[in-house]
Amino acid sequence: MKSKILVTGGLGFIGSHTVVALQQQGFEVVIIDNLSNSSIDVLAGITKITQTTPEFVNIDLRNKDAVIDFFEKYQDITGVIHFAASKAVGESVENPLLYYENNLSTLIYILQQLSKKNKASFIFSSSCTVYGQADNLPITENAPVKKAMSPYGNTKQIGEEIIMDTCKVYPSLKAISLRYFNPIGAHPSTEIGELPIGTPQNLVPFITQTAIGKREQLSVFGNDYPTSDGTCVRDYIHVVDLAQAHVVALKKLMEEEALGKNYDVFNLGTGKGNSVLEVIQSFERSTGEKLPFKIVDRREGDITAAYADTNKANTGLNWRAEHSLDEALKSAWKWEKKVFKNED
Ligand code: UD1
């Protein structure tokens, strides 16, 4: 019998790529998504790639009764990958209660249901934001968690603590928090990709929208950082690699005793740091497009540099990122062109 996995936020950017990877590797998937930051059309994209339509349930996970009813109905769910959450840093500063409610109440309601089961696996979308500006690079999982710079970041820190505390008292529950560095790119089929609503806050969607002509030019936030060229350094990871890491982490949790303990955290990155200017160069090189940009002031809250030490994920999960920055940017560009064509 196939294992049945719940993917919350399964129509979102990382969620949809993970659903594809799960289905391609023999899992049966049920998606919960409230479509607050995603489109129902993504379901057709997933179907086209995998020839399988995952079951889709539109409920709001902030509704505790709906969560209880769902788990009552789907008793055969053995694992949950929990993506559903709000992720805009600026918005979280303006509306902290929305973020604490969206990102934490939903987590608690799901864990309450999983804690009743004889056996359950749980994977949490965390972020490298928990490290803040780390003292040492590359960043290992042992680096101290720094005081969060935004309510969004705080929800990831508190979320990890909630899971850790819960796992201590429910040995039947096994969980992993995955700390993502900067996910970019799109599925090579161009059936699914990132769909930012309004003006993109993240670098790569802003780059592709500028190159296609939707935005006039990219603003590079600061060139006076203590890095090789003065611009900030990040670890950009192809979303397809990230999705695959979820599948291996889930399998690891499901293997009896494999983890040795019932809670762990892993960084997911490439291990390479690239500056904003290097990303622009890589984009221009791999796509042949010219990208208009200007240097502007620093963006408040940005850290200088962050990239992952990937040793723990390489050995513990037997996983490593396979795609280069050029490939990831090329796939993001291919996807942008398709989105643009469909909007015409
Ligand atoms: C941000 C969040 C992080 C979150 C992640 C989700 C902050 C401080 N961090 O990461 O918590 O998990 O998004 O994807 O907000 N840049 C420009 N011009 C732009 C946009 C970005 O120069 O128009 C630069 C930024 O200064 C940064 C880099 O590009 O150096 C990457 O920015 P972004 O894509 O927003 O990701 P992070 O800030 O790293």
Side-chain angles (χ1 to χ4, degrees), residues 33 55 68-70 79 90 94 108 141-142 155 158 171 198 247 287:
D33 200 300
E55 200 170 332
I68 293 171
D69 289 348
F70 174 86
E94 274 152 36
I108 292 167
E141 288 81 353
N142 293 328
T155 65
I158 299 170
V247 181
T287 65

Side-chain angles (χ1 to χ4, degrees), residues 89 127 129 152 182 201-203 219 221 232 234 299 302:
V89 176
S127 167
T129 194
Y152 159 77
N182 290 55
Q201 306 300 309
N202 294 117
L203 178 64
S219 294
F221 298 138
C232 294
R234 297 286 184 276
R299 177 171 71 178
D302 269 343

Side-chain angles (χ1 to χ4, degrees), residues 94-146:
E94 274 152 36
N95 202 344
L97 291 176
L98 178 78
Y99 272 65
Y100 287 116
E101 186 189 24
N102 279 357
N103 295 5
L104 296 179
S105 70
T106 57
L107 171 66
I108 292 167
Y109 298 155
I110 292 170
L111 290 177
Q112 281 171 339
Q113 299 312 306
L114 292 186
S115 67
K116 294 181 194 162
K117 289 182 178 284
N118 294 333
K119 202 175 161 190
S121 304
F122 183 76
I123 293 182
F124 179 60
S125 291
S126 189
S127 167
C128 66
T129 194
V130 301
Y131 299 118
Q133 179 57 69
D135 299 327
N136 299 303
L137 294 170
I139 304 173
T140 71
E141 288 81 353
N142 293 328
V145 165
K146 294 257 175 88

Side-chain angles (χ1 to χ4, degrees), residues 167-330:
C167 282
K168 275 185 198 149
V169 290
Y170 295 102
S172 54
L173 180 65
K174 293 183 175 186
I176 287 178
S177 292
L178 295 174
R179 293 174 175 167
Y180 314 150
F181 281 69
N182 290 55
I184 62 165
H187 196 268
S189 64
T190 60
E191 294 299 338
I192 54 173
E194 197 168 2
L195 285 169
I197 294 175
T199 308
Q201 306 300 309
N202 294 117
L203 178 64
V204 171
F206 205 102
I207 286 179
T208 56
Q209 288 197 8
T210 305
I212 205 103
K214 273 190 205 166
R215 316 266 158 215
E216 215 170 292
Q217 63 180 345
L218 169 76
S219 294
V220 173
F221 298 138
N223 67 347
D224 57 352
Y225 285 94
T227 60
S228 59
D229 61 24
T231 63
C232 294
V233 168
R234 297 286 184 276
D235 184 337
Y236 296 92
I237 175 169
H238 197 305
V239 67
V240 169
D241 285 328
L242 199 66
Q244 180 55 21
H246 289 74
V247 181
V248 294
L250 185 71
K251 284 185 179 162
K252 182 104 190 157
L253 286 177
M254 288 179 149
E255 282 167 26
E256 212 61 52
E257 308 304 333
L259 201 61
K261 49 187 165 181
N262 69 333
Y263 177 69
D264 211 348
V265 299
F266 291 93
N267 285 341
L268 295 182
T270 65
K272 289 191 199 81
N274 285 104
S275 72
V276 179
L277 292 180
E278 282 169 350
V279 174
I280 295 171
Q281 282 155 14
S282 168
F283 178 80
E284 291 187 332
R285 182 175 58 235
S286 58
T287 65
E289 298 295 319
K290 191 94 199 96
L291 191 80
F293 71 89
K294 62 170 182 221
I295 308 287
V296 300
D297 286 347
R298 291 180 176 197
R299 177 171 71 178
E300 209 190 308
D302 269 343
I303 54 162
T304 303
Y307 51 94
D309 184 315
T310 61
N311 277 313
K312 191 173 172 188
N314 296 161
T315 52
L317 298 176
N318 196 17
W319 165 91
R320 66 183 63 245
E322 309 270 343
H323 295 85
S324 67
L325 179 62
D326 278 22
E327 286 171 308
L329 291 169
K330 225 171 157 171

